[in-house]
Amino acid sequence: MIMGKMELIMLKKDTSWENSSDWYKKAVGEKGHYYHSHIILPKGIPLLDFSRFENPKLLDIGCGQGILSRAIPHSVGYCGLDLSKSLISEARKLAKDREHQFIHHDATKPYPIPRESFTHAASVLAIQNMEDQASVLKHASLSLVKGGLLLLVLNHPCFRVPRKSSWGYDEKAKIQYRRIDAYMGDLKIPVETHPSKKEKSPVTFTFHHSLSYFSSILLKNGFIIEKIEEWCSDKKSEGGRAKAEDKARDEIPLFLALLAKKERE
Ligand SMILES: C[S@@+](CC[C@H](N)C(=O)[O-])C[C@H]1O[C@@H](n2cnc3c(N)ncnc32)[C@H](O)[C@@H]1O
């Protein structure tokens, strides 16, 4: 049987962003991409509330080129895990703190760190790129002390399902709306890094799950959700449809932040 490019892509097991790492290094740079610097870091870091613990230590799951390590206060210990060797090596190069550790590791497999050695864990725009998300939470939970905090920052699973959601414009009502074609089912969605290059583009994967899936795997792994935040884009449009586009941006959030506390093993 001869397989097509899409079938071969779907069989690809490694979910790392190694093949897209050159592009991702440039896109994020030292200070983060637009949404890191305008929304995710200014809203996400206060949620982690490091002052709750005397010696806070953060485990960053799917750390990429280490943007979160460069944004946290100096007093916070840090270890980042990622499956891309190039992104881990870029994270080491850009590190501001020589004590910060970066480990090349698959976050769905047992972690090479002592149990209960972290007060905090975070996964920023990364858990949706990992296949077995329940295992990620299991290992995150084992790494955390009781009472430890876990922050998941997600592309909002209700409104941003790659290939299955899109903007539309209602000419009569002059309303920009969001169209959702699929939501409840689990999906493995290939995403081209450079869509204009078509077949030649590197591919990453999004593993889509509903909000209730996250709630259930958190509970199963000993976490109770403390807080949910939904973050909208602060960008502004220009041109004829600016009002409708700005309104839609204020109504439909881009990101979902789930802050959970480890209550038990
Ligand atoms: C969108 S990037 C986010 C990186 C970083 N958190 C940030 O905000 O820039 C997703 C990251 O997840 C990593 N990743 C995918 N599957 C992984 C796995 N199984 N274990 C560890 N990292 C993984 C990729 O290599 C990539 O660096």
Side-chain angles (χ1 to χ4, degrees):
M1 186 179 69
I2 298 168
M3 274 191 269
K5 158 121 174 158
M6 194 46 79
E7 285 155 312
L8 285 169
I9 285 173
M10 293 307 271
L11 283 176
K12 182 177 170 268
K13 276 262 180 295
D14 181 347
T15 59
S16 92
W17 280 33
E18 186 60 24
N19 292 341
S20 301
S21 62
D22 285 341
W23 164 78
Y24 200 63
K25 282 182 218 169
K26 277 192 212 123
V28 177
E30 206 193 325
K31 299 237 152 65
H33 54 53
Y34 182 89
Y35 292 118
H36 278 129
S37 60
H38 283 247
I39 295 171
I40 295 168
L41 298 172
K43 289 183 187 285
I45 290 175
L47 266 183
L48 283 165
D49 190 10
F50 290 115
S51 63
R52 274 204 225 179
F53 291 86
E54 214 169 295
N55 291 307
K57 224 176 146 199
L58 171 69
L59 178 66
D60 185 4
I61 302 168
C63 63
Q65 49 83 288
I67 178 64
L68 189 55
S69 75
R70 300 188 293 280
I72 55 172
H74 199 63
S75 54
V76 179
Y78 175 93
C79 175
L81 304 178
D82 201 282
L83 193 51
S84 160
K85 271 193 180 155
S86 312
L87 289 175
I88 283 291
S89 101
E90 183 77 355
R92 289 189 183 125
K93 225 189 285 167
L94 295 176
K96 280 192 174 155
D97 191 323
R98 299 174 84 198
E99 304 269 296
H100 287 183
Q101 261 189 303
F102 299 93
I103 304 177
H104 173 236
H105 187 74
D106 183 342
T108 65
K109 305 274 159 46
Y111 296 173
I113 48 174
R115 282 186 175 205
E116 304 200 1
S117 51
F118 289 85
T119 56
H120 293 77
S123 187
V124 175
L125 303 182
I127 195 167
Q128 288 164 309
N129 298 122
M130 300 175 193
E131 184 146 22
D132 183 357
Q133 296 170 16
S135 285
V136 176
L137 292 193
K138 177 177 156 201
H139 302 307
S141 174
L142 290 172
S143 311
L144 282 172
V145 297
K146 189 160 179 252
L149 295 174
L150 168 72
L151 175 66
L152 300 180
V153 177
L154 310 174
N155 284 313
H156 203 307
C158 305
F159 304 110
R160 292 176 75 200
V161 189
R163 292 172 181 245
K164 300 288 176 192
S165 60
S166 51
W167 290 114
Y169 188 73
D170 181 331
E171 291 283 356
K172 227 170 158 191
K174 301 204 180 328
I175 286 174
Q176 171 148 304
Y177 60 86
R178 192 80 183 153
R179 168 180 165 152
I180 312 295
D181 296 331
Y183 168 69
M184 280 307 282
D186 300 328
L187 294 169
K188 176 178 180 177
I189 309 164
V191 178
E192 285 167 350
T193 307
H194 307 294
S196 61
K197 290 191 184 162
K198 295 194 176 137
E199 302 271 285
K200 293 204 170 103
S201 170
V203 171
T204 61
F205 286 103
T206 293
F207 298 89
H208 166 81
H209 299 286
S210 65
L211 189 51
S212 44
Y213 169 83
F214 285 101
S215 156
S216 94
I217 61 170
L218 282 165
L219 189 62
K220 198 168 157 215
N221 288 291
F223 291 102
I224 298 287
I225 295 175
E226 268 202 357
K227 198 166 187 205
I228 293 180
E229 289 191 0
E230 295 172 289
W231 301 332
C232 294
S233 169
D234 64 350
K235 289 189 175 175
K236 294 282 171 231
S237 285
E238 285 175 9
R241 291 184 183 171
K243 204 170 152 199
E245 287 171 7
D246 289 346
K247 174 85 179 140
R249 245 189 242 109
D250 289 346
E251 289 297 337
I252 314 281
L254 282 185
F255 304 109
L256 176 73
L258 295 174
L259 182 72
K261 185 166 155 183
K262 176 177 167 182
E263 289 283 332
R264 53 170 177 80
E265 286 275 300

PDB file of all heavy atoms in Angstrom, residues 6 8-17 126 128-130 162 188-191 203-208:
ATOM      1  N   MET A   6      -0.287  13.051   3.732  1.00  0.00           N
ATOM      2  CA  MET A   6      -1.076  13.300   4.944  1.00  0.00           C
ATOM      3  C   MET A   6      -1.115  12.061   5.845  1.00  0.00           C
ATOM      4  O   MET A   6      -0.991  12.163   7.054  1.00  0.00           O
ATOM      5  CB  MET A   6      -2.493  13.745   4.559  1.00  0.00           C
ATOM      6  CG  MET A   6      -3.289  14.351   5.682  1.00  0.00           C
ATOM      7  SD  MET A   6      -2.379  15.571   6.661  1.00  0.00           S
ATOM      8  CE  MET A   6      -2.483  17.001   5.621  1.00  0.00           C
ATOM      9  N   LEU A   8       1.215   9.752   6.029  1.00  0.00           N
ATOM     10  CA  LEU A   8       2.551   9.638   6.643  1.00  0.00           C
ATOM     11  C   LEU A   8       2.693  10.633   7.790  1.00  0.00           C
ATOM     12  O   LEU A   8       3.202  10.308   8.857  1.00  0.00           O
ATOM     13  CB  LEU A   8       3.651   9.896   5.598  1.00  0.00           C
ATOM     14  CG  LEU A   8       3.881   8.753   4.619  1.00  0.00           C
ATOM     15  CD1 LEU A   8       4.789   9.207   3.482  1.00  0.00           C
ATOM     16  CD2 LEU A   8       4.504   7.551   5.342  1.00  0.00           C
ATOM     17  N   ILE A   9       2.173  11.850   7.558  1.00  0.00           N
ATOM     18  CA  ILE A   9       2.251  12.886   8.591  1.00  0.00           C
ATOM     19  C   ILE A   9       1.495  12.426   9.839  1.00  0.00           C
ATOM     20  O   ILE A   9       1.967  12.543  10.965  1.00  0.00           O
ATOM     21  CB  ILE A   9       1.648  14.220   8.075  1.00  0.00           C
ATOM     22  CG1 ILE A   9       2.620  14.878   7.101  1.00  0.00           C
ATOM     23  CG2 ILE A   9       1.331  15.172   9.207  1.00  0.00           C
ATOM     24  CD1 ILE A   9       2.076  16.091   6.394  1.00  0.00           C
ATOM     25  N   MET A  10       0.304  11.845   9.630  1.00  0.00           N
ATOM     26  CA  MET A  10      -0.522  11.438  10.768  1.00  0.00           C
ATOM     27  C   MET A  10       0.142  10.315  11.565  1.00  0.00           C
ATOM     28  O   MET A  10      -0.130  10.123  12.734  1.00  0.00           O
ATOM     29  CB  MET A  10      -1.921  11.024  10.318  1.00  0.00           C
ATOM     30  CG  MET A  10      -2.747  12.158   9.752  1.00  0.00           C
ATOM     31  SD  MET A  10      -2.885  13.595  10.813  1.00  0.00           S
ATOM     32  CE  MET A  10      -4.320  13.162  11.756  1.00  0.00           C
ATOM     33  N   LEU A  11       1.032   9.544  10.897  1.00  0.00           N
ATOM     34  CA  LEU A  11       1.705   8.439  11.593  1.00  0.00           C
ATOM     35  C   LEU A  11       2.909   8.920  12.413  1.00  0.00           C
ATOM     36  O   LEU A  11       3.433   8.184  13.236  1.00  0.00           O
ATOM     37  CB  LEU A  11       2.187   7.392  10.577  1.00  0.00           C
ATOM     38  CG  LEU A  11       1.099   6.477  10.034  1.00  0.00           C
ATOM     39  CD1 LEU A  11       1.698   5.570   8.968  1.00  0.00           C
ATOM     40  CD2 LEU A  11       0.491   5.636  11.148  1.00  0.00           C
ATOM     41  N   LYS A  12       3.347  10.159  12.130  1.00  0.00           N
ATOM     42  CA  LYS A  12       4.532  10.685  12.816  1.00  0.00           C
ATOM     43  C   LYS A  12       4.290  10.631  14.324  1.00  0.00           C
ATOM     44  O   LYS A  12       3.295  11.125  14.827  1.00  0.00           O
ATOM     45  CB  LYS A  12       4.747  12.127  12.338  1.00  0.00           C
ATOM     46  CG  LYS A  12       5.953  12.815  12.909  1.00  0.00           C
ATOM     47  CD  LYS A  12       6.067  14.225  12.279  1.00  0.00           C
ATOM     48  CE  LYS A  12       7.110  15.054  12.977  1.00  0.00           C
ATOM     49  NZ  LYS A  12       6.656  15.876  14.054  1.00  0.00           N
ATOM     50  N   LYS A  13       5.209  10.003  15.046  1.00  0.00           N
ATOM     51  CA  LYS A  13       4.992   9.779  16.477  1.00  0.00           C
ATOM     52  C   LYS A  13       5.506  10.944  17.331  1.00  0.00           C
ATOM     53  O   LYS A  13       4.891  11.333  18.305  1.00  0.00           O
ATOM     54  CB  LYS A  13       5.737   8.495  16.911  1.00  0.00           C
ATOM     55  CG  LYS A  13       4.959   7.216  16.654  1.00  0.00           C
ATOM     56  CD  LYS A  13       4.250   6.770  17.935  1.00  0.00           C
ATOM     57  CE  LYS A  13       3.449   5.514  17.806  1.00  0.00           C
ATOM     58  NZ  LYS A  13       2.314   5.535  16.932  1.00  0.00           N
ATOM     59  N   ASP A  14       6.677  11.478  16.931  1.00  0.00           N
ATOM     60  CA  ASP A  14       7.335  12.496  17.751  1.00  0.00           C
ATOM     61  C   ASP A  14       6.578  13.822  17.629  1.00  0.00           C
ATOM     62  O   ASP A  14       6.430  14.354  16.529  1.00  0.00           O
ATOM     63  CB  ASP A  14       8.769  12.631  17.232  1.00  0.00           C
ATOM     64  CG  ASP A  14       9.574  13.643  18.019  1.00  0.00           C
ATOM     65  OD1 ASP A  14       8.980  14.408  18.796  1.00  0.00           O
ATOM     66  OD2 ASP A  14      10.794  13.651  17.843  1.00  0.00           O
ATOM     67  N   THR A  15       6.109  14.347  18.759  1.00  0.00           N
ATOM     68  CA  THR A  15       5.330  15.590  18.702  1.00  0.00           C
ATOM     69  C   THR A  15       6.195  16.831  18.920  1.00  0.00           C
ATOM     70  O   THR A  15       5.663  17.932  19.039  1.00  0.00           O
ATOM     71  CB  THR A  15       4.203  15.559  19.757  1.00  0.00           C
ATOM     72  OG1 THR A  15       4.808  15.397  21.046  1.00  0.00           O
ATOM     73  CG2 THR A  15       3.213  14.450  19.491  1.00  0.00           C
ATOM     74  N   SER A  16       7.526  16.649  19.023  1.00  0.00           N
ATOM     75  CA  SER A  16       8.385  17.805  19.314  1.00  0.00           C
ATOM     76  C   SER A  16       8.327  18.817  18.162  1.00  0.00           C
ATOM     77  O   SER A  16       7.977  18.464  17.035  1.00  0.00           O
ATOM     78  CB  SER A  16       9.833  17.366  19.525  1.00  0.00           C
ATOM     79  OG  SER A  16      10.541  17.414  18.302  1.00  0.00           O
ATOM     80  N   TRP A  17       8.724  20.044  18.472  1.00  0.00           N
ATOM     81  CA  TRP A  17       8.752  21.093  17.455  1.00  0.00           C
ATOM     82  C   TRP A  17      10.149  21.224  16.838  1.00  0.00           C
ATOM     83  O   TRP A  17      10.520  22.291  16.351  1.00  0.00           O
ATOM     84  CB  TRP A  17       8.280  22.427  18.053  1.00  0.00           C
ATOM     85  CG  TRP A  17       6.791  22.501  18.138  1.00  0.00           C
ATOM     86  CD1 TRP A  17       5.932  21.462  18.361  1.00  0.00           C
ATOM     87  CD2 TRP A  17       5.966  23.667  17.998  1.00  0.00           C
ATOM     88  NE1 TRP A  17       4.631  21.906  18.379  1.00  0.00           N
ATOM     89  CE2 TRP A  17       4.625  23.256  18.163  1.00  0.00           C
ATOM     90  CE3 TRP A  17       6.222  25.018  17.772  1.00  0.00           C
ATOM     91  CZ2 TRP A  17       3.549  24.148  18.099  1.00  0.00           C
ATOM     92  CZ3 TRP A  17       5.165  25.903  17.700  1.00  0.00           C
ATOM     93  CH2 TRP A  17       3.831  25.460  17.860  1.00  0.00           C
ATOM     94  N   ALA A 126       1.515  24.536  25.377  1.00  0.00           N
ATOM     95  CA  ALA A 126       2.306  23.353  25.044  1.00  0.00           C
ATOM     96  C   ALA A 126       1.550  22.036  25.238  1.00  0.00           C
ATOM     97  O   ALA A 126       1.726  21.119  24.441  1.00  0.00           O
ATOM     98  CB  ALA A 126       3.596  23.348  25.854  1.00  0.00           C
ATOM     99  N   GLN A 128      -1.341  21.111  24.590  1.00  0.00           N
ATOM    100  CA  GLN A 128      -2.169  20.724  23.441  1.00  0.00           C
ATOM    101  C   GLN A 128      -1.323  20.196  22.278  1.00  0.00           C
ATOM    102  O   GLN A 128      -1.865  19.686  21.309  1.00  0.00           O
ATOM    103  CB  GLN A 128      -3.015  21.921  22.969  1.00  0.00           C
ATOM    104  CG  GLN A 128      -4.151  22.245  23.939  1.00  0.00           C
ATOM    105  CD  GLN A 128      -4.720  23.628  23.692  1.00  0.00           C
ATOM    106  OE1 GLN A 128      -3.969  24.595  23.634  1.00  0.00           O
ATOM    107  NE2 GLN A 128      -6.021  23.732  23.557  1.00  0.00           N
ATOM    108  N   ASN A 129       0.007  20.345  22.403  1.00  0.00           N
ATOM    109  CA  ASN A 129       0.898  19.771  21.382  1.00  0.00           C
ATOM    110  C   ASN A 129       1.434  18.411  21.814  1.00  0.00           C
ATOM    111  O   ASN A 129       2.309  17.854  21.144  1.00  0.00           O
ATOM    112  CB  ASN A 129       2.064  20.716  21.090  1.00  0.00           C
ATOM    113  CG  ASN A 129       1.602  22.044  20.534  1.00  0.00           C
ATOM    114  OD1 ASN A 129       1.882  23.090  21.090  1.00  0.00           O
ATOM    115  ND2 ASN A 129       0.851  22.000  19.447  1.00  0.00           N
ATOM    116  N   MET A 130       0.946  17.897  22.933  1.00  0.00           N
ATOM    117  CA  MET A 130       1.411  16.591  23.439  1.00  0.00           C
ATOM    118  C   MET A 130       0.268  15.591  23.310  1.00  0.00           C
ATOM    119  O   MET A 130      -0.890  15.939  23.557  1.00  0.00           O
ATOM    120  CB  MET A 130       1.849  16.728  24.901  1.00  0.00           C
ATOM    121  CG  MET A 130       2.977  17.715  25.045  1.00  0.00           C
ATOM    122  SD  MET A 130       3.419  17.990  26.753  1.00  0.00           S
ATOM    123  CE  MET A 130       4.447  19.462  26.572  1.00  0.00           C
ATOM    124  N   PRO A 162      -7.965  24.229  15.566  1.00  0.00           N
ATOM    125  CA  PRO A 162      -7.373  24.391  14.236  1.00  0.00           C
ATOM    126  C   PRO A 162      -8.137  23.598  13.171  1.00  0.00           C
ATOM    127  O   PRO A 162      -8.531  22.456  13.407  1.00  0.00           O
ATOM    128  CB  PRO A 162      -5.950  23.841  14.410  1.00  0.00           C
ATOM    129  CG  PRO A 162      -5.681  23.936  15.870  1.00  0.00           C
ATOM    130  CD  PRO A 162      -7.005  23.782  16.556  1.00  0.00           C
ATOM    131  N   LYS A 188      -6.780  14.871  16.380  1.00  0.00           N
ATOM    132  CA  LYS A 188      -5.347  15.080  16.139  1.00  0.00           C
ATOM    133  C   LYS A 188      -5.247  15.886  14.860  1.00  0.00           C
ATOM    134  O   LYS A 188      -5.620  15.405  13.785  1.00  0.00           O
ATOM    135  CB  LYS A 188      -4.639  13.723  15.981  1.00  0.00           C
ATOM    136  CG  LYS A 188      -3.168  13.844  15.636  1.00  0.00           C
ATOM    137  CD  LYS A 188      -2.514  12.473  15.548  1.00  0.00           C
ATOM    138  CE  LYS A 188      -1.040  12.600  15.210  1.00  0.00           C
ATOM    139  NZ  LYS A 188      -0.357  11.300  15.175  1.00  0.00           N
ATOM    140  N   ILE A 189      -4.771  17.126  14.977  1.00  0.00           N
ATOM    141  CA  ILE A 189      -4.844  18.040  13.834  1.00  0.00           C
ATOM    142  C   ILE A 189      -3.436  18.465  13.399  1.00  0.00           C
ATOM    143  O   ILE A 189      -2.709  19.105  14.172  1.00  0.00           O
ATOM    144  CB  ILE A 189      -5.660  19.308  14.207  1.00  0.00           C
ATOM    145  CG1 ILE A 189      -7.006  18.906  14.826  1.00  0.00           C
ATOM    146  CG2 ILE A 189      -5.852  20.206  13.004  1.00  0.00           C
ATOM    147  CD1 ILE A 189      -7.707  20.029  15.559  1.00  0.00           C
ATOM    148  N   PRO A 190      -3.035  18.125  12.176  1.00  0.00           N
ATOM    149  CA  PRO A 190      -1.731  18.615  11.692  1.00  0.00           C
ATOM    150  C   PRO A 190      -1.807  20.107  11.366  1.00  0.00           C
ATOM    151  O   PRO A 190      -2.804  20.567  10.798  1.00  0.00           O
ATOM    152  CB  PRO A 190      -1.487  17.791  10.421  1.00  0.00           C
ATOM    153  CG  PRO A 190      -2.804  17.236  10.032  1.00  0.00           C
ATOM    154  CD  PRO A 190      -3.756  17.324  11.186  1.00  0.00           C
ATOM    155  N   VAL A 191      -0.778  20.851  11.774  1.00  0.00           N
ATOM    156  CA  VAL A 191      -0.757  22.296  11.512  1.00  0.00           C
ATOM    157  C   VAL A 191       0.546  22.624  10.777  1.00  0.00           C
ATOM    158  O   VAL A 191       1.635  22.344  11.283  1.00  0.00           O
ATOM    159  CB  VAL A 191      -0.824  23.101  12.841  1.00  0.00           C
ATOM    160  CG1 VAL A 191      -0.749  24.602  12.587  1.00  0.00           C
ATOM    161  CG2 VAL A 191      -2.086  22.746  13.637  1.00  0.00           C
ATOM    162  N   VAL A 203       5.512  20.249   9.927  1.00  0.00           N
ATOM    163  CA  VAL A 203       4.167  20.109  10.503  1.00  0.00           C
ATOM    164  C   VAL A 203       4.283  19.900  12.004  1.00  0.00           C
ATOM    165  O   VAL A 203       5.159  19.175  12.472  1.00  0.00           O
ATOM    166  CB  VAL A 203       3.458  18.897   9.842  1.00  0.00           C
ATOM    167  CG1 VAL A 203       2.156  18.555  10.551  1.00  0.00           C
ATOM    168  CG2 VAL A 203       3.183  19.185   8.376  1.00  0.00           C
ATOM    169  N   THR A 204       3.412  20.575  12.772  1.00  0.00           N
ATOM    170  CA  THR A 204       3.283  20.273  14.204  1.00  0.00           C
ATOM    171  C   THR A 204       1.877  19.708  14.395  1.00  0.00           C
ATOM    172  O   THR A 204       1.059  19.751  13.465  1.00  0.00           O
ATOM    173  CB  THR A 204       3.462  21.534  15.070  1.00  0.00           C
ATOM    174  OG1 THR A 204       2.436  22.471  14.723  1.00  0.00           O
ATOM    175  CG2 THR A 204       4.830  22.161  14.882  1.00  0.00           C
ATOM    176  N   PHE A 205       1.611  19.198  15.597  1.00  0.00           N
ATOM    177  CA  PHE A 205       0.269  18.660  15.849  1.00  0.00           C
ATOM    178  C   PHE A 205      -0.405  19.375  16.998  1.00  0.00           C
ATOM    179  O   PHE A 205       0.243  19.759  17.974  1.00  0.00           O
ATOM    180  CB  PHE A 205       0.348  17.166  16.199  1.00  0.00           C
ATOM    181  CG  PHE A 205       0.633  16.316  15.010  1.00  0.00           C
ATOM    182  CD1 PHE A 205       1.894  15.808  14.793  1.00  0.00           C
ATOM    183  CD2 PHE A 205      -0.360  16.067  14.074  1.00  0.00           C
ATOM    184  CE1 PHE A 205       2.171  15.040  13.678  1.00  0.00           C
ATOM    185  CE2 PHE A 205      -0.092  15.302  12.942  1.00  0.00           C
ATOM    186  CZ  PHE A 205       1.175  14.790  12.741  1.00  0.00           C
ATOM    187  N   THR A 206      -1.723  19.543  16.871  1.00  0.00           N
ATOM    188  CA  THR A 206      -2.551  19.941  17.999  1.00  0.00           C
ATOM    189  C   THR A 206      -3.440  18.753  18.330  1.00  0.00           C
ATOM    190  O   THR A 206      -4.051  18.167  17.421  1.00  0.00           O
ATOM    191  CB  THR A 206      -3.437  21.155  17.630  1.00  0.00           C
ATOM    192  OG1 THR A 206      -2.592  22.272  17.427  1.00  0.00           O
ATOM    193  CG2 THR A 206      -4.430  21.483  18.738  1.00  0.00           C
ATOM    194  N   PHE A 207      -3.485  18.398  19.616  1.00  0.00           N
ATOM    195  CA  PHE A 207      -4.374  17.324  20.063  1.00  0.00           C
ATOM    196  C   PHE A 207      -5.521  18.012  20.791  1.00  0.00           C
ATOM    197  O   PHE A 207      -5.370  18.447  21.936  1.00  0.00           O
ATOM    198  CB  PHE A 207      -3.618  16.346  20.971  1.00  0.00           C
ATOM    199  CG  PHE A 207      -2.485  15.672  20.233  1.00  0.00           C
ATOM    200  CD1 PHE A 207      -1.220  16.232  20.203  1.00  0.00           C
ATOM    201  CD2 PHE A 207      -2.712  14.492  19.531  1.00  0.00           C
ATOM    202  CE1 PHE A 207      -0.184  15.628  19.493  1.00  0.00           C
ATOM    203  CE2 PHE A 207      -1.685  13.891  18.815  1.00  0.00           C
ATOM    204  CZ  PHE A 207      -0.420  14.455  18.801  1.00  0.00           C
ATOM    205  N   HIS A 208      -6.634  18.147  20.085  1.00  0.00           N
ATOM    206  CA  HIS A 208      -7.771  18.892  20.640  1.00  0.00           C
ATOM    207  C   HIS A 208      -8.610  18.024  21.569  1.00  0.00           C
ATOM    208  O   HIS A 208      -8.918  16.861  21.250  1.00  0.00           O
ATOM    209  CB  HIS A 208      -8.668  19.401  19.510  1.00  0.00           C
ATOM    210  CG  HIS A 208     -10.002  19.878  20.005  1.00  0.00           C
ATOM    211  ND1 HIS A 208     -10.171  21.131  20.557  1.00  0.00           N
ATOM    212  CD2 HIS A 208     -11.202  19.252  20.110  1.00  0.00           C
ATOM    213  CE1 HIS A 208     -11.435  21.252  20.951  1.00  0.00           C
ATOM    214  NE2 HIS A 208     -12.079  20.133  20.690  1.00  0.00           N
TER     215      HIS A 208
END
